[in-house]
Amino acid sequence: MPAGPLDVRPVQLPTGTPETGSDVRLLADYGPVPSHWVLSPLYALRVLKRRRELRRALAARKDEAARAAAEAEDALVAMAERVRPTAERQATFADVMSALRRSEELLRMRDRVLTAENEAEMARLASADARLAKLEADCESARAQEREAAAELVAAQEALVREEAHLKRTESELRAAQREPSGTRE
């Protein structure tokens, strides 16, 4: 059965005017969908490029949002610090302020305990680091001694080879001298 022509059509996304389109479509700004399949690769390239730009913009917006949240929290703390003296003088807030003072004291106590534990842990870490540094120095010293011993071993092996060669020559000369008749020597 002969293959028929491919019926390839670009994916049709819902379109609309900027007034009726979604915020995502407006923000994405991919451009018009190609009318012919031949233009699809160019459209896909444009979409991929735009997605990279959108990812960078999203990362920047997340950073901005984090900064804004931190600023809002700082502003709330500053406002609470300014309002607190007035609230403490009000009889209607006496129970709430009492609970707040107890919570603050509990928080300070926990903070002191955590600080002490952190300092103890830092001291243990410093001790471990000192032991590790000593062990590393000992290890390096052992490596240096090992290198020296290896060099001495190589030198001793070379000397042994030379002495064995000298011994063989001497033995060869001795055998040769023993084979010669005693009268030919003078």
Side-chain angles (χ1 to χ4, degrees):
M1 175 170 200
L6 290 176
D7 185 22
V8 179
R9 290 183 218 129
V11 174
Q12 294 295 321
L13 298 175
T15 60
T17 63
E19 297 80 39
T20 62
S22 70
D23 291 341
V24 173
R25 178 169 295 287
L26 292 173
L27 180 62
D29 190 28
Y30 291 146
V33 176
S35 58
H36 195 271
W37 70 269
V38 173
L39 300 174
S40 293
L42 294 174
Y43 180 74
L45 184 63
R46 184 172 62 230
V47 167
L48 290 175
K49 181 180 174 188
R50 182 67 182 138
R51 281 186 179 174
R52 271 182 276 173
E53 293 169 3
L54 290 171
R55 280 191 205 103
R56 284 193 296 270
L58 177 63
R61 295 308 175 270
K62 284 182 179 179
D63 290 344
E64 287 176 18
R67 279 193 302 275
E71 288 174 6
E73 188 174 322
D74 291 344
L76 283 173
V77 169
M79 183 192 75
E81 288 174 353
R82 282 183 293 199
V83 170
R84 184 173 181 166
T86 306
E88 286 177 340
R89 289 190 299 265
Q90 300 290 327
T92 56
F93 296 121
D95 292 338
V96 173
M97 296 310 289
S98 164
L100 179 62
R101 280 190 286 281
R102 285 191 306 272
S103 296
E104 286 175 338
E105 186 56 38
L106 178 64
L107 184 61
R108 282 190 206 100
M109 184 178 65
R110 288 181 180 172
D111 187 45
R112 285 191 295 270
V113 169
L114 287 175
T115 300
E117 287 178 7
N118 188 34
E119 289 172 356
E121 188 63 31
M122 294 302 285
R124 285 190 295 271
L125 182 61
S127 173
D129 285 343
R131 286 193 313 261
L132 181 62
K134 183 184 180 311
L135 290 173
E136 286 175 346
D138 291 347
C139 184
E140 186 57 38
S141 173
R143 284 187 189 125
Q145 289 174 351
E146 181 183 10
R147 285 190 294 270
E148 289 174 8
E152 289 174 7
L153 177 63
V154 168
Q157 287 173 338
E158 290 172 352
L160 178 63
V161 168
R162 283 193 304 274
E163 290 302 319
E164 287 175 346
H166 181 67
L167 178 63
K168 287 180 183 179
R169 272 194 312 266
T170 305
E171 288 174 347
S172 175
E173 289 173 2
L174 181 60
R175 281 191 301 269
Q178 289 173 349
R179 281 188 233 136
E180 288 182 7
S182 58
T184 56
R185 269 204 211 159
E186 297 187 16

